């Protein structure tokens, strides 16, 4: 709705909207989003008889503006909008008309309170935000050939807005994992980094950097021409291990891309057989270094068959469902199975008459994990793509993701999704510009 006032008629306000550089910048920014996702959500909500307050598109736009402009506090966002009332018209707010006001409406009464905006951020529908993020991935797939063939996974730490994260403030339960900070009871204590420091006597002492907060998991892809994009995101309290993020991120990635990624890359925190399984099932590899904390793997032949301590191929007997969720293959001593051959061995198990027994993960992913050659050019090229997550994390940090000024998990999750939407909109703008230039060259 275009209002009119004693100062400007509707045609003048329309002209102001058309020429205002800030309004035009955000019209361009929002044009990259698929607003049909929002319209369909709004229709479903209305069909259930739920009341509609301010248009959800207007709320989404102010929260995306908050990220884009780096307005970390809600009060800053509200002040910015009051200083730019033309944005409130263009964003589609239900205006409180006042013909005596310069732009024909009372901006202070139109704009919801700081408390309302904070509650609206917390109450945003997660499925709506995820759908909007997925729509940016769909648009990027149309612009970038081969996007998502290789997907990188990583987790970014987020500091909760609590006094326990302030090193200058002493808190009696600052490192008690059972403690619940009053500032944000949803956050959890976790280890950000663990290092060994050398002591004066030459010994080493482990030093852990801990924080109260959350982890923002991302699945990202990159190409040399178009740069980095976000394919999926998932937020958990910071006490969860990195590999916990993998399954939900992978499911979102497949849904957004419409295809299964061929290759996967991540750091050693994702060194789990089921991560390799996803790549192995689709003819690819998971470029992941072996975790130094895992137990030493048994010696294997090139086909995965284990070798006993004498270097002999062990004999497969039967397969069974392992309690850890994979199909296992049992191998027995080659000197005793399928029947004793008269040779002897000094191994204690042989002396007992049983011989060595090994139950090994016989899934494609389990085999790839132990047989993968991590020195090949292909492995190194894929492993290098892990840096796409680091660059995405760097962009997200610049947009304020690391220290959100909200005090509950739902608001943190929503701000994270909005941040990645902004990153993808920028990537889509970049991709379209590159493609236009390429077409002009032909």
């Amino acid at each position: 709705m275009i209002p009119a006032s004693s100062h400007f008629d509707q045609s003048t306000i329309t002209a102001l909207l058309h020429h205002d550089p800030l309004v035009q910048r955000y019209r361009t920014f929002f044009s990259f989003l698929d607003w049909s996702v929002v319209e369909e959500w709004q229709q479903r909500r209305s069909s259930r008889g739920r009341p509609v307050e301010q248009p959800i598109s207007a709320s989404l736009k102010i929260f995306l503006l908050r990220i884009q402009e780096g307005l970390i506090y809600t009060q800053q966002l509200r002040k910015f909008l009051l200083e730019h009332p033309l944005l409130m018209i263009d964003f589609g707010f239900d205006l409180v008309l006042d013909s005596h006001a310069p732009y024909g409406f009372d901006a202070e009464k139109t704009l919801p309170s700081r408390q309302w905006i904070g509650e609206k951020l917390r109450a945003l529908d997660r499925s709506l935000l995820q759908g909007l993020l997925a729509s940016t991935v769909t648009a990027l797939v149309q612009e970038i050939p081969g996007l998502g063939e290789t997907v990188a996974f990583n987790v970014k730490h987020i500091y909760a807005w609590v006094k326990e994260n302030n090193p200058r403030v002493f808190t009696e339960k600052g490192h008690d994992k059972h403690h619940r900070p009053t500032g944000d009871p949803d956050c959890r204590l976790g280890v950000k980094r663990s290092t060994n420091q050398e002591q004066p006597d030459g010994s080493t002492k482990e030093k852990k950097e801990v924080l109260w907060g959350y982890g923002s998991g991302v699945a990202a892809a990159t190409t040399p021409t178009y740069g980095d994009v976000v394919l999926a995101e998932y937020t958990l309290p910071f006490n969860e291990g990195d590999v916990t993020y993998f399954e939900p991120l992978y499911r979102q990635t497949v849904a957004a891309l419409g295809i299964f990624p061929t290759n996967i890359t991540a750091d050693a925190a994702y060194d789990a057989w089921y991560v390799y399984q996803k790549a192995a099932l689709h003819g690819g590899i998971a470029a992941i270094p072996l975790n130094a904390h895992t137990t030493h793997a048994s010696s294997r032949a090139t086909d995965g068959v284990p070798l006993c301590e004498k270097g002999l191929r062990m004999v497969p007997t039967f397969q069974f469902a392992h309690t850890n969720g994979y199909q296992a293959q049992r191998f027995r001593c080659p000197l005793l199975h399928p029947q004793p051959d008269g040779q002897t061995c000094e191994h204690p198990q042989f002396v007992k008459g049983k011989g060595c027994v090994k139950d090994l993960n016989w899934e494609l992913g389990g085999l790839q994990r132990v047989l993968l050659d991590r020195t090949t050019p292909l492995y190194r090229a894929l492993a290098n793509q892990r840096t796409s997550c680091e660059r995405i994390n760097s962009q997200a940090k610049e947009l304020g993701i690391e220290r959100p000024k909200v005090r509950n998990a739902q608001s943190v999750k929503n701000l994270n999704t909005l941040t990645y939407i902004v990153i993808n909109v920028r990537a889509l703008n970049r991709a379209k510009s590159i493609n236009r230039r390429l077409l002009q060259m032909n």
Side-chain angles (χ1 to χ4, degrees):
M1 178 179 66
I2 305 297
S5 73
S6 56
H7 298 77
F8 307 115
D9 59 21
Q10 285 185 323
S11 61
T12 303
I13 293 178
T14 301
L16 289 171
L17 289 168
H18 183 71
H19 292 286
D20 186 87
L22 188 61
V23 170
Q24 292 307 308
R25 176 154 64 88
Y26 275 100
R27 282 183 177 179
T28 301
F29 180 87
F30 294 133
S31 70
F32 291 107
L33 291 170
D34 182 4
W35 292 99
S36 67
V37 174
V38 181
E39 292 169 4
E40 291 171 4
W41 179 90
Q42 190 93 48
Q43 289 173 0
R44 289 195 302 270
R45 184 178 175 88
S46 299
S47 65
R48 297 187 188 123
R50 296 180 179 178
V52 178
E53 302 167 351
Q54 288 283 3
I56 187 63
S57 58
S59 298
L60 289 171
K61 286 176 180 179
I62 67 169
F63 291 131
L64 289 167
L65 177 144
R66 172 180 179 159
I67 303 295
Q68 179 83 334
E69 297 292 332
L71 306 171
I72 60 174
Y73 294 98
T74 303
Q75 193 60 40
Q76 292 176 325
L77 170 63
R78 199 170 186 281
K79 180 182 177 183
F80 185 91
L81 290 169
L82 289 173
E83 291 174 349
H84 299 89
L86 289 175
L87 286 176
M88 297 168 64
I89 300 174
D90 203 61
F91 286 4
F93 273 90
D94 290 334
L95 305 177
V96 177
L97 298 179
D98 181 356
S99 60
H100 299 292
Y103 296 100
F105 71 100
D106 189 320
E108 182 66 45
K109 291 181 178 179
T110 296
L111 192 62
S113 67
R114 178 182 63 82
Q115 291 79 7
W116 186 97
I117 294 174
E119 176 58 24
K120 190 67 176 179
L121 174 63
R122 186 198 65 79
L124 281 176
D125 191 312
R126 293 291 303 148
S127 64
L128 171 61
L129 293 180
Q130 289 290 345
L132 203 57
L133 177 62
S135 72
T136 65
V137 177
T138 301
L140 284 161
V141 167
Q142 295 173 355
E143 298 291 334
I144 304 176
L147 181 67
E149 180 178 333
T150 299
V151 178
F153 296 83
N154 200 359
V155 176
K156 172 82 176 74
H157 64 274
I158 295 174
Y159 292 87
W161 194 17
V162 295
K163 64 182 180 181
E164 285 80 358
N165 279 332
N166 187 344
R168 298 180 180 178
V169 176
F170 172 77
T171 55
E172 196 171 305
K173 298 183 178 180
H175 288 175
D176 178 5
K177 65 180 181 180
H178 301 293
H179 172 59
R180 297 293 175 263
T182 55
D184 182 356
D186 296 332
C187 72
R188 295 293 182 269
L189 182 69
V191 179
K192 175 187 172 186
R193 187 182 295 111
S194 180
T195 57
N196 289 324
Q197 289 189 339
E198 186 173 349
Q199 303 300 304
D201 61 359
S203 62
T204 58
K205 180 180 180 181
E206 185 180 37
K207 181 181 179 182
K208 294 182 178 180
E209 183 180 356
V210 298
L211 64 89
W212 289 91
Y214 304 88
S216 175
V218 292
T222 187
T223 62
T225 303
Y226 298 95
D228 310 296
V229 303
V230 179
L231 302 177
E233 64 88 25
Y234 191 65
T235 301
L236 287 172
F238 199 54
N239 60 335
E240 298 288 349
D242 287 10
V243 75
T244 311
Y245 294 78
F246 176 74
E247 288 289 352
L249 285 174
Y250 186 83
R251 288 194 298 269
Q252 289 181 41
T253 298
V254 172
L257 290 174
I259 60 171
F260 290 97
T262 303
N263 304 304
I264 290 170
T265 184
D267 59 30
Y270 291 83
D271 180 32
W273 74 270
Y274 51 84
V275 178
Y276 296 86
Q277 182 82 349
K278 302 296 187 185
L281 287 173
H282 300 98
I285 68 170
I288 300 171
L290 286 172
N291 194 323
H293 298 292
T294 58
T295 56
H296 178 67
S298 60
S299 298
R300 304 275 191 114
T302 55
D303 59 356
V305 172
L307 306 178
C308 72
E309 291 189 7
K310 295 186 70 171
L312 302 176
R313 287 172 63 91
M314 298 184 71
V315 177
T317 54
F318 61 88
Q319 294 189 3
F320 62 97
H322 198 279
T323 54
N324 287 340
Y326 54 78
Q327 192 71 8
Q329 173 71 59
R330 175 160 292 184
F331 291 87
R332 306 298 296 263
C333 173
L335 302 183
L336 298 175
H337 296 273
Q339 63 226 355
D341 62 3
Q343 298 185 59
T344 61
C345 177
E346 296 179 356
H347 194 281
Q349 290 298 105
F350 187 89
V351 175
K352 292 178 182 179
K354 297 180 179 180
C356 295
V357 179
K358 293 186 183 295
D359 294 334
L360 300 181
N361 185 327
W362 213 241
E363 301 280 0
L364 289 175
L367 290 170
Q368 184 180 107
R369 177 179 177 272
V370 296
L371 298 177
L372 183 63
D373 186 351
R374 292 173 170 80
T375 63
T376 64
L378 173 61
Y379 174 89
R380 291 176 178 175
L382 295 177
N384 286 339
Q385 294 193 38
R386 294 205 309 262
T387 57
S388 64
C389 283
E390 296 173 6
R391 290 188 292 272
I392 290 293
N393 289 341
S394 179
Q395 292 181 55
K397 182 179 179 180
E398 289 297 316
L399 292 170
I401 199 173
E402 190 168 278
R403 295 181 181 272
K405 302 306 180 185
V406 291
R407 297 189 182 276
N408 60 83
Q410 196 67 13
S411 294
V412 171
K413 291 177 181 179
N414 291 340
L415 279 177
N416 291 350
T417 310
L418 290 162
T419 299
Y420 296 124
I421 290 172
V422 169
I423 290 173
N424 272 6
V425 168
R426 293 178 177 181
L428 186 56
N429 184 17
R430 184 171 64 245
K432 286 181 176 292
S433 298
I434 292 171
N435 286 343
R436 281 195 298 270
R437 291 199 300 269
L438 292 174
L439 288 172
Q440 292 170 358
M441 293 170 61
N442 294 335

